[in-house]
Amino acid sequence: MPKIIYHAFDGEIRTVEVSVGATVMDAAVRNAVPGIDGDCGGACACATCHVYVPDEWLARLEPQSEMEQSMLEFAENVRPSSRLGCQIKMEAKLDGLEVQTPESQH
Ligand code: FES
Protein backbone atom coordinates (compact mmCIF):
# COMPACT_ATOMS: atom_id res chain seq x y z
CA MET A 1 0.00 0.00 0.00
CA PRO A 2 1.27 3.52 -0.71
CA LYS A 3 2.35 5.64 2.22
CA ILE A 4 1.69 9.25 3.13
CA ILE A 5 4.11 11.12 5.37
CA TYR A 6 2.40 13.82 7.44
CA HIS A 7 4.59 16.56 8.86
CA ALA A 8 3.12 18.59 11.71
CA PHE A 9 4.17 22.24 12.08
CA ASP A 10 6.20 21.30 15.18
CA GLY A 11 8.28 18.74 13.32
CA GLU A 12 6.38 15.60 14.37
CA ILE A 13 6.23 13.10 11.53
CA ARG A 14 3.67 10.33 11.04
CA THR A 15 3.78 7.79 8.25
CA VAL A 16 0.51 6.11 7.34
CA GLU A 17 -0.24 3.32 4.86
CA VAL A 18 -3.20 4.14 2.65
CA SER A 19 -5.39 2.16 0.27
CA VAL A 20 -5.34 3.31 -3.32
CA GLY A 21 -8.40 5.52 -3.84
CA ALA A 22 -8.49 6.84 -0.26
CA THR A 23 -7.74 10.52 0.18
CA VAL A 24 -5.10 12.32 2.24
CA MET A 25 -7.94 13.46 4.51
CA ASP A 26 -9.48 9.96 4.87
CA ALA A 27 -6.15 8.47 5.89
CA ALA A 28 -5.46 11.25 8.38
CA VAL A 29 -8.85 10.96 10.06
CA ARG A 30 -8.68 7.14 10.25
CA ASN A 31 -5.25 7.29 11.81
CA ALA A 32 -5.93 10.24 14.13
CA VAL A 33 -3.31 12.45 12.51
CA PRO A 34 -3.58 15.80 14.32
CA GLY A 35 -4.36 18.93 12.32
CA ILE A 36 -6.69 17.35 9.76
CA ASP A 37 -10.31 17.17 10.90
CA GLY A 38 -12.23 16.61 7.67
CA ASP A 39 -15.37 18.15 9.13
CA CYS A 40 -17.40 18.05 5.90
CA GLY A 41 -16.49 14.44 5.16
CA GLY A 42 -14.68 15.30 1.96
CA ALA A 43 -17.36 17.42 0.29
CA CYS A 44 -14.91 20.26 -0.36
CA ALA A 45 -16.90 22.48 2.00
CA CYS A 46 -14.86 23.09 5.16
CA ALA A 47 -11.11 23.40 4.46
CA THR A 48 -10.24 21.63 7.73
CA CYS A 49 -8.19 19.25 5.59
CA HIS A 50 -5.91 22.04 4.29
CA VAL A 51 -2.32 20.86 3.79
CA TYR A 52 0.86 22.18 2.21
CA VAL A 53 2.44 19.96 -0.43
CA PRO A 54 6.14 20.30 -1.28
CA ASP A 55 6.85 21.36 -4.90
CA GLU A 56 8.26 17.99 -5.96
CA TRP A 57 4.96 16.35 -5.03
CA LEU A 58 2.67 19.19 -6.03
CA ALA A 59 3.65 18.72 -9.67
CA ARG A 60 2.55 15.06 -9.58
CA LEU A 61 -0.96 15.70 -8.26
CA GLU A 62 -4.09 16.13 -10.33
CA PRO A 63 -4.77 19.85 -10.83
CA GLN A 64 -7.17 21.62 -8.48
CA SER A 65 -10.83 21.68 -9.42
CA GLU A 66 -12.67 25.01 -9.40
CA MET A 67 -14.47 23.88 -6.25
CA GLU A 68 -11.18 23.22 -4.46
CA GLN A 69 -9.81 26.59 -5.58
CA SER A 70 -12.85 28.45 -4.29
CA MET A 71 -12.81 26.60 -0.96
CA LEU A 72 -9.13 27.41 -0.46
CA GLU A 73 -9.97 31.09 -0.82
CA PHE A 74 -11.67 30.80 2.55
CA ALA A 75 -8.90 28.84 4.26
CA GLU A 76 -6.40 30.50 6.60
CA ASN A 77 -2.71 30.86 5.81
CA VAL A 78 -3.04 29.75 2.20
CA ARG A 79 0.23 29.38 0.25
CA PRO A 80 0.97 28.46 -3.38
CA SER A 81 1.54 24.90 -2.11
CA SER A 82 -1.88 24.67 -0.45
CA ARG A 83 -4.24 21.82 -1.32
CA LEU A 84 -7.28 20.24 0.27
CA GLY A 85 -6.46 16.78 1.56
CA CYS A 86 -9.90 15.45 0.67
CA GLN A 87 -9.23 16.22 -2.98
CA ILE A 88 -5.96 14.27 -3.19
CA LYS A 89 -6.73 10.63 -3.99
CA MET A 90 -3.95 8.16 -3.39
CA GLU A 91 -2.47 6.29 -6.31
CA ALA A 92 0.46 3.87 -6.37
CA LYS A 93 2.62 6.55 -8.03
CA LEU A 94 2.09 8.82 -5.01
CA ASP A 95 3.80 6.37 -2.63
CA GLY A 96 5.82 8.48 -0.17
CA LEU A 97 3.71 11.62 -0.64
CA GLU A 98 4.61 14.26 1.93
CA VAL A 99 2.20 16.85 3.26
CA GLN A 100 2.47 19.41 6.02
CA THR A 101 -0.37 20.56 8.24
CA PRO A 102 -0.72 24.30 8.87
CA GLU A 103 -0.03 25.54 12.39
CA SER A 104 -3.46 27.21 12.48
CA GLN A 105 -5.14 23.77 12.37
CA HIS A 106 -3.45 22.48 15.52
FE1 FES B 1 -13.93 19.45 4.14
FE2 FES B 1 -11.81 18.66 2.75
S1 FES B 1 -12.80 17.61 4.33
S2 FES B 1 -12.95 20.46 2.52
Side-chain angles (χ1 to χ4, degrees):
M1 285 203 288
K3 292 184 181 65
I4 303 174
I5 303 163
Y6 296 88
H7 295 261
F9 76 98
D10 62 0
E12 189 184 337
I13 296 173
R14 289 191 190 210
T15 302
V16 167
E17 289 198 333
V18 193
S19 311
V20 168
T23 68
V24 167
M25 180 277 285
D26 291 329
V29 170
R30 278 195 209 123
N31 291 279
V33 173
I36 300 182
D37 292 340
D39 286 346
C40 75
C44 211
C46 72
T48 61
C49 62
H50 177 198
V51 291
Y52 303 126
V53 181
D55 287 347
E56 63 269 30
W57 285 106
L58 204 53
R60 296 193 227 175
L61 302 181
E62 294 295 318
Q64 290 179 340
S65 64
E66 275 182 33
M67 221 164 118
E68 182 178 355
Q69 281 171 15
S70 10
M71 197 59 236
L72 276 170
E73 286 171 16
F74 296 99
E76 284 181 53
N77 304 310
V78 172
R79 300 177 185 168
S81 61
S82 290
R83 294 294 306 256
L84 292 179
C86 67
Q87 303 301 303
I88 304 173
K89 269 207 180 117
M90 280 311 282
E91 304 171 48
K93 69 173 185 182
L94 295 179
D95 183 26
L97 173 67
E98 294 184 69
V99 300
Q100 188 186 3
T101 47
E103 183 169 3
S104 53
Q105 284 166 218
H106 286 264

